Amino acid sequence: MKDRLSFKKLLSLSMMLFALFFGAGNMIFPPAMGQAAGTNVWIALAGFIFTDVGLPVLCIAAVVFANRSLNNALSGPGVGFAFFFVVLLHLLIGPLFAIPRTGSVSFEMAIVPFIGDGNLLLFSFIYTTIFFGATWFLSSNPNKIVSIVGDILTPVLLISIFIIGIAAVINPITPMGAPVGDYNTIAFSKGMIEGYNAMDALAAGIFALIVIENVETMGVKRESGIIKYTMLAGVFAAIGLAVVYGILAYVGATAGDLGEFSNGGALLSAVANHMFGTVGQLILGIAVMFACLTTSIGLTTACGDYFSKHFEKLSYKKVITAVCLFSFCVSNIGLTQLLNITVPGLLMVYPVLMALIITSFFRKWLNRGAYIGIVAGSALVSIPEGLAALFGTYLPAAAGPIKAFLAMIPFQSLGIGWVVPAAVLGVIGYIIGVVKK
């Protein structure tokens, strides 16, 4: 029985996982953080890596050690809750938000700079038709995702990023400026919030299943071998993410003379144009396009695999076809509208997922009552957070009281206000569970 992989295959797995994680949002957050952090960029970067690299690796480990099942990893409150939550997770990370965003973000960053503002809707339809057509085609054979993504698309993405990064190191636009706002006093915590908001941990459990499936396809059948190579792929991908985040953060930190920008995408575009002109923007466009495409392929494959296995009447091809068609329609409503509608939902789900993943390693010592308390405590903060984001856009007057409530919760300013309520209610739930038993 084969239980070893060559270094080349392990590297392909790692590059595939890196590319699945690294979407357009991951290109946008680090440079914006770098510009604001200035001379404190490396401290802020450490916080960013802690949450946007460390937590996803933790999620992968949780799935691997929970009998290679995301449902098992989240089943502390009950099997029914785990099934509902995983379905919801696939929908949010799939066709309801993340997959449509890959199309809209890549269009706005890779195509719009070259076509101007005229006929945007027509060009958007054309581009997203090609984009999701490619997603469907490349997702139709999931067994080849390693060779397609790991061996072809990821190197193109990395080369594009490193060209911009090397140019910034050799000829920086300006010296690093002074830190702005919270980056002057709590740079590490502020970096943690940026990494937390990137929300890669939401997809980590799903991507772990893709890696596990490919490890098994490569011939590794022993439990110890599957755990070993899945975790190694996760660690290698994490190292790659940390290096690229460092490059992008440095690019942002040395771009102060270009002015202020509304987001990291606009900053990167300005940097590329300053360094290489139109060619630079083309390089950036290619990087963004491939970053979005690889993430779209990974999420579509994950949705197809999950729903076809858990719902007998749904074949893999039917699921990925429906996902691509729905994502095509949603992506054309515009990125701003898409974020306004779906980000509140993600804010409601993310803390609950994090609480369950972290405590899944202690299931031997926790009872069901503890898990119910943990979910209730994290939801006590995450649901108001989501409502505040939703009302802040569409009903600002109603958001005020909710924000006032959230401000009273310990550590809320650090983006981890759910920790204390989850811990307190978890302890109460554990005691109740012991008394009942």
Side-chain angles (χ1 to χ4, degrees):
M1 182 180 292
K2 180 180 178 181
D3 62 354
R4 295 180 64 87
L5 289 182
S6 66
F7 179 76
K8 181 180 179 180
K9 288 185 176 181
L10 177 59
L11 184 62
S12 291
L13 277 172
S14 304
M15 293 180 72
M16 176 200 72
L17 184 58
F18 169 91
L20 294 177
F21 275 123
F22 197 79
N26 304 82
M27 293 188 69
I28 291 173
F29 282 113
M33 177 189 69
Q35 187 180 41
T39 54
N40 284 341
V41 61
W42 305 121
I43 301 175
L45 177 65
F48 187 93
I49 290 174
F50 180 80
T51 49
D52 195 52
V53 177
L55 288 181
V57 171
L58 195 65
C59 289
I60 293 173
V63 172
V64 169
F65 290 106
N67 197 27
R68 292 171 281 163
S69 169
L70 183 57
N71 286 65
N72 287 347
L74 303 178
S75 63
V79 176
F81 172 86
F83 180 75
F84 164 78
F85 196 83
V86 173
V87 169
L88 177 63
L89 194 62
H90 277 83
L91 291 175
L92 287 172
I93 296 300
L96 293 184
F97 174 52
I99 296 177
R101 187 179 67 173
T102 61
S104 58
V105 168
S106 60
F107 173 72
E108 292 195 14
M109 292 190 63
I111 304 299
V112 172
F114 300 98
I115 63 174
D117 297 328
N119 297 319
L120 282 181
L121 184 59
L122 174 62
F123 282 109
S124 176
F125 269 95
I126 295 173
Y127 173 79
T128 51
T129 297
I130 298 172
F131 182 89
F132 288 111
T135 296
W136 181 88
F137 177 77
L138 295 174
S139 301
S140 295
N141 193 341
N143 292 332
K144 292 185 177 181
I145 192 171
V146 172
S147 60
I148 293 170
V149 176
D151 297 340
I152 301 174
L153 300 185
T154 305
V156 174
L157 169 63
L158 290 175
I159 290 170
S160 302
I161 294 173
F162 274 97
I163 287 174
I164 296 175
I166 292 171
V169 172
I170 294 175
N171 187 26
I173 298 172
T174 182
M176 294 182 184
V180 176
D182 289 338
Y183 286 106
N184 190 42
T185 54
I186 51 171
F188 183 85
S189 297
K190 186 64 174 175
M192 283 182 58
I193 296 172
E194 291 298 318
Y196 177 84
N197 289 336
M199 297 184 176
D200 278 335
L202 281 175
I206 297 172
F207 289 158
L209 301 178
I210 296 177
V211 176
I212 290 169
E213 181 179 351
N214 279 280
V215 169
E216 292 176 327
T217 300
M218 290 176 176
V220 178
K221 303 301 180 183
R222 297 181 188 274
E223 184 74 16
S224 59
I226 294 172
I227 293 174
K228 172 185 174 181
Y229 289 113
T230 302
M231 290 306 304
L232 282 175
V235 171
F236 289 166
I239 293 172
L241 286 170
V243 170
V244 173
Y245 289 155
I247 293 173
L248 293 174
Y250 177 81
V251 168
T254 56
D257 284 355
L258 295 181
E260 296 183 2
F261 300 90
S262 58
N263 57 67
L267 170 60
L268 273 180
S269 182
V271 169
N273 184 62
H274 177 85
M275 291 179 173
F276 305 107
T278 303
V279 174
Q281 287 186 309
L282 181 62
I283 292 173
L284 179 64
I286 292 172
V288 170
M289 190 179 301
F290 278 113
C292 289
L293 182 60
T294 51
T295 300
S296 180
I297 293 169
L299 292 173
T300 300
T301 301
C303 287
D305 185 62
Y306 181 81
F307 287 109
S308 62
K309 285 182 178 179
H310 290 83
F311 297 89
E312 295 181 358
K313 295 183 179 180
L314 298 177
S315 67
Y316 178 84
K317 280 289 182 68
K318 287 181 179 178
V319 174
I320 66 169
T321 300
V323 166
C324 289
L325 287 174
F326 187 85
S327 299
F328 162 77
C329 296
V330 175
S331 67
N332 282 285
I333 69 174
L335 180 61
T336 300
Q337 289 79 3
L338 183 61
L339 292 173
N340 288 340
I341 295 171
T342 55
V343 165
L346 292 176
L347 290 175
M348 294 180 187
V349 171
Y350 193 88
V352 177
L353 174 66
M354 286 298 91
L356 288 174
I357 287 295
I358 292 171
T359 55
S360 69
F361 295 98
F362 307 99
R363 290 184 63 179
K364 185 185 298 186
W365 300 281
L366 299 178
N367 56 29
R368 186 166 179 263
Y371 276 104
I372 293 175
I374 289 167
V375 170
S378 54
L380 181 67
V381 175
S382 67
I383 291 177
E385 276 187 316
L387 291 176
L390 183 65
F391 292 156
T393 302
Y394 298 104
L395 195 61
I402 299 177
K403 291 180 179 179
F405 163 74
L406 292 172
M408 296 185 295
I409 299 175
F411 306 119
Q412 180 62 21
S413 61
L414 300 179
I416 53 173
W418 54 272
V419 171
V420 171
V424 171
L425 292 186
V427 171
I428 294 174
Y430 177 81
I431 294 173
I432 293 174
V434 170
V435 171
K436 283 187 175 181
K437 185 177 180 180

